[in-house]
Amino acid sequence: MTKYIVVSGGVISGIGKGVIASSTGTLLKSLGLRVTAIKIDPYLNIDAGLMSPLDHGEVFVLNDGGEVDLDLGNYERFLDVELSRINNITTGKIYREVIEKERKGDYLGKTVQVVPHITDAIQSWIERVANLPTDNSGEKPDVCIIELGGTVGDIESAPFVEAMRQFQFRVGHENFCLIHVSLVPVVGSVGEQKTKPTQMSVRDLRGAGLTPDLIACRSSKPLDESICSKISMFCHVAPEQVLAVHDVSSVYHVPILMREHGIIDFFRRRLNLDALTISDENRLAGEELWNKWSTLAGSYEHIHEKVSIALVGKYTHLHDSYISVYKALEHASLNCGRKLEIKWIEATDLEQETLTSDPKKFHESWQEVCSANGILVPGGFGSRGIDGMLLAAKWARENKVPYLGICLGMQIAVIEFARNVCGMPDAESAEFNPDTKTPAVVYMPEISKTHMGGTMRLGLRPTVFQPGSENSRVRKLYGNKPSIDERHRHRYEVNPEIVDKIESNGLKFVGKDETGERMEIVEMDDHPYFVGAQYHPEYLTRPLNPCPLFKGLILAASGILDSAL
């Protein structure tokens, strides 16, 4: 029987449920168990595809093309698994499924209600996901971790909370465990820790019919023993069921913090984990995973040599908009023995208009760009900030500063090169100017122009290295493989009609799709590292296995790429 661990949140959203859920999964994997994860988002959207990054953070893309919440990226990175779109449950998906069944007559004339029809659909969906393999073994997971998005007490999450109340009886007590993540704020000049918000949150949870097995208390500093005792007393749990999770230097320390608290032994008792059959191979793999994880977390503290990367984007005011990019840079930096310093640059601040409206901001932004060891332009949509990105790419190309362009960032590199090297001053993207006479980037012909949701070129697709690319730095970074599989998310592509002209001037398309018609990787020969990728390599980064393109950027920015190759 699959074991289910639900992670709920109280007091405020964004409290760290995703990190607690991912860390729990990492600890269970270290025992040799197979783990999967589900994120429940109570919003009405079918998926996250049409949400603004500034409203909800990054849209994460899975192998099957699912556009999902960024927490699924956390799960994949921590657990080193590959999830699918059904691992992200939304209110929109559940209601659509129930309404479609009602229209087909599946409910036999009954009145369709939130209870039992919506709550039953939620529980059935969870059980379907829990039976799906997440690795090459083909075996179903031993443990399914369910993160309940939002905050207990929210109107929109009520059906999911009720579904979990029913689910605990459906699967049985020893197969269901609840972790409630709450906030212990530190207030006043003396830094007093307050337990009342947690008490109220647990009261709401109990009022909904759920009893926490663990209360994970988030705080800016370690909890006093008296505070833990107070939470234990007033929330009706044993002292060992109060888990203090204070701020740490990196998220990689959270599983270590939880393990030191005795969480693994607690799960062994509470979920009877010893009754599960774990092969010697999986047990050894789990031990090796934990050893590597501990080494990774320890190395974070002992790296002192810095490397700075200017991230020139459109959504830098909310860093979660680029969380996978940030993680990919971090993983690559750790792998290369460098401490990462990211300079967050809003692309519009590099444009001439800012020189007039806010000269100080303009000069500060350019100072950051010019002093960085490398420049990265990530993906994005729309025309805002494009001129700033083009200027950043031009600076990197002309001054031999390592540059990595992702999706839009690759298109920026091609447009800039076409304008300033290939004698095409009017080169433009059809995304920004549909009537341009010199389209360097065009709308993909197979993409719908009437429906936006789920209609981009999405998911895992092959990229084939082209003949003559044997000396390509990018190809060497990928281990000289003839082809690679990476995840995509785009509507526009480099215009195939200008490829010959671009290449004749020194910017080579070393990777294309399987048809040879769609440009995937661009690279400049006479440059330390000037690379663009139409795909999103950051979606496949892992703490112990960084993305080759990001590793190349960090190596080049550190001045050691050629020696590393």
Side-chain angles (χ1 to χ4, degrees):
M1 179 70 181
T2 303
K3 308 295 183 181
Y4 295 90
I5 299 175
V6 177
V7 181
S8 63
V11 185
I12 59 171
S13 60
I15 200 171
K17 297 187 299 296
V19 174
I20 296 293
S22 301
S23 299
T24 300
T26 300
L27 290 175
L28 294 171
K29 280 204 76 171
S30 74
L31 300 177
L33 297 170
R34 289 180 294 273
V35 182
T36 189
I38 296 172
K39 173 66 189 297
I40 294 176
D41 285 305
Y43 47 67
L44 282 169
N45 305 61
I46 298 297
D47 59 32
L50 297 180
M51 289 185 171
S52 165
L54 291 173
D55 179 57
H56 200 70
E58 171 191 78
V59 176
F60 191 78
V61 176
L62 303 169
N63 280 356
D64 63 359
E67 296 174 286
V68 297
D69 185 84
L70 59 84
D71 276 315
L72 272 80
N74 275 331
Y75 304 155
E76 286 204 339
R77 288 187 289 269
F78 268 71
L79 306 179
D80 193 19
V81 295
E82 293 179 353
L83 304 176
S84 63
R85 67 179 76 220
I86 71 167
N87 289 77
N88 192 194
I89 303 176
T90 69
T91 298
K93 286 180 181 178
I94 294 295
Y95 273 76
R96 181 175 66 178
E97 179 182 270
V98 170
I99 290 170
E100 284 176 354
K101 282 185 176 181
E102 187 275 333
R103 289 291 83 189
K104 287 189 293 184
D106 288 359
Y107 296 115
L108 303 176
K110 293 181 179 177
T111 302
V112 181
Q113 297 174 293
V114 172
V115 181
H117 301 99
I118 294 296
T119 52
D120 283 352
I122 293 167
Q123 295 173 74
S124 297
W125 192 305
I126 289 170
E127 289 183 323
R128 286 201 305 273
V129 175
N131 286 312
L132 289 178
T134 57
D135 56 30
N136 296 326
S137 70
E139 297 184 40
K140 75 174 191 176
D142 301 302
V143 181
C144 178
I145 296 173
I146 305 162
E147 181 189 345
L148 179 55
T151 306
V152 170
D154 291 346
I155 292 174
E156 58 263 30
S157 64
F160 294 102
V161 173
E162 170 60 20
M164 292 302 96
R165 185 193 69 78
Q166 298 174 23
F167 194 65
Q168 63 185 326
F169 303 111
R170 182 165 171 164
V171 299
H173 179 70
E174 73 171 20
N175 299 313
F176 182 93
C177 180
L178 174 63
I179 303 174
H180 187 63
V181 186
S182 186
L183 177 69
V184 177
V186 179
V187 300
S189 57
V190 296
E192 185 181 2
Q193 296 172 326
K194 291 293 186 180
T195 65
K196 193 65 71 178
T198 296
Q199 293 178 44
M200 297 300 100
S201 177
V202 171
R203 186 185 65 182
D204 289 344
L205 187 67
R206 290 184 183 279
L210 288 168
T211 299
D213 295 289
L214 280 173
I215 302 175
C217 300
R218 291 282 295 110
S219 184
S220 58
K221 64 178 185 179
L223 290 190
D224 297 335
E225 189 173 332
S226 61
I227 296 297
C228 292
S229 299
K230 191 173 181 181
I231 290 172
S232 167
M233 179 186 300
F234 288 104
C235 295
H236 196 58
V237 295
E240 61 267 22
Q241 292 174 268
V242 179
L243 171 63
V245 187
H246 59 268
D247 291 350
V248 287
S249 57
S250 78
V251 293
Y252 310 115
H253 287 85
V254 177
I256 297 173
L257 185 68
M258 294 174 69
R259 185 179 175 122
E260 289 173 349
H261 189 83
I263 295 304
I264 288 181
D265 290 335
F266 175 82
F267 284 136
R268 283 187 193 277
R269 297 191 306 271
R270 177 64 182 78
L271 295 172
N272 193 21
L273 295 181
D274 292 332
L276 297 174
T277 303
I278 305 173
S279 68
D280 290 339
E281 181 184 358
N282 284 352
R283 198 181 301 276
L284 288 172
E287 291 174 0
E288 183 182 1
L289 165 68
W290 185 252
N291 290 334
K292 288 181 177 179
W293 192 276
S294 300
T295 301
L296 173 77
S299 68
Y300 193 90
E301 300 295 332
H302 300 105
I303 294 174
H304 302 292
E305 199 165 346
K306 293 183 179 180
V307 61
S308 61
I309 302 295
L311 193 154
V312 182
K314 297 163 62 74
Y315 319 115
T316 58
H317 296 308
L318 181 65
H319 293 178
D320 272 0
S321 300
Y322 299 114
I323 189 167
S324 289
V325 172
Y326 170 75
K327 292 300 179 184
L329 286 170
E330 186 177 61
H331 299 163
S333 300
L334 287 169
N335 185 267
C336 297
R338 295 293 188 275
K339 188 172 284 290
L340 177 66
E341 179 188 355
I342 293 186
K343 300 172 182 286
W344 299 91
I345 313 293
E346 189 69 20
T348 51
D349 292 339
L350 302 176
E351 297 173 358
Q352 287 299 309
E353 286 184 11
T354 305
L355 177 59
T356 304
S357 61
D358 192 344
K360 185 172 181 245
K361 175 63 74 175
F362 175 84
H363 290 297
E364 286 176 348
S365 298
W366 269 109
Q367 174 63 31
E368 295 278 77
V369 170
C370 296
S371 62
N373 301 127
I375 294 173
L376 188 150
V377 177
F381 298 92
S383 59
R384 184 179 62 82
I386 295 304
D387 288 343
M389 295 180 185
L390 288 166
L391 290 166
K394 185 172 185 284
W395 167 266
R397 179 181 58 80
E398 292 180 343
N399 293 277
K400 305 293 185 184
V401 176
Y403 173 91
L404 176 59
I406 298 170
C407 196
L408 174 62
M410 169 180 156
Q411 297 170 6
I412 289 292
V414 171
I415 294 170
E416 188 281 323
F417 193 82
R419 287 183 181 181
N420 298 309
V421 178
C422 300
M424 304 164 64
D426 297 326
E428 187 63 277
S429 169
E431 180 180 5
F432 319 133
N433 181 8
D435 301 320
T436 179
K437 298 292 191 291
T438 316
V441 175
V442 296
Y443 202 88
M444 289 187 288
E446 72 270 29
I447 302 299
S448 170
K449 292 190 175 183
T450 58
H451 289 73
M452 295 186 72
T455 59
M456 286 187 275
R457 184 170 180 251
L458 294 163
L460 197 71
R461 297 170 184 270
T463 292
V464 180
F465 285 105
Q466 299 302 293
S469 66
E470 290 75 18
N471 292 321
S472 158
R473 290 190 181 94
V474 171
R475 186 166 182 174
K476 289 178 181 177
L477 285 165
Y478 277 102
N480 286 309
K481 295 177 182 177
S483 66
I484 55 175
D485 293 315
E486 294 278 2
R487 295 177 181 177
H488 293 68
R489 185 177 187 249
H490 64 114
R491 285 193 180 89
Y492 294 83
E493 63 175 332
V494 173
N495 186 353
E497 295 178 5
I498 70 165
V499 167
D500 289 342
K501 189 169 185 178
I502 295 290
E503 290 197 318
S504 66
N505 281 278
L507 194 60
K508 307 295 184 184
F509 293 97
V510 298
K512 300 180 182 180
D513 74 342
E514 64 271 38
T515 69
E517 295 294 321
R518 188 155 280 154
M519 305 304 116
E520 294 282 3
I521 305 173
V522 66
E523 181 179 10
M524 188 181 293
D525 288 333
D526 59 339
H527 193 284
Y529 193 78
F530 193 86
V531 173
Q534 185 59 72
Y535 53 83
H536 286 265
E538 71 271 20
Y539 291 146
L540 292 177
T541 186
R542 299 290 187 267
L544 302 172
N545 186 22
C547 302
L549 291 187
F550 283 85
K551 185 175 179 179
L553 176 65
I554 297 298
L555 288 169
S558 303
I560 55 175
L561 175 59
D562 289 336
S563 60
L565 293 175

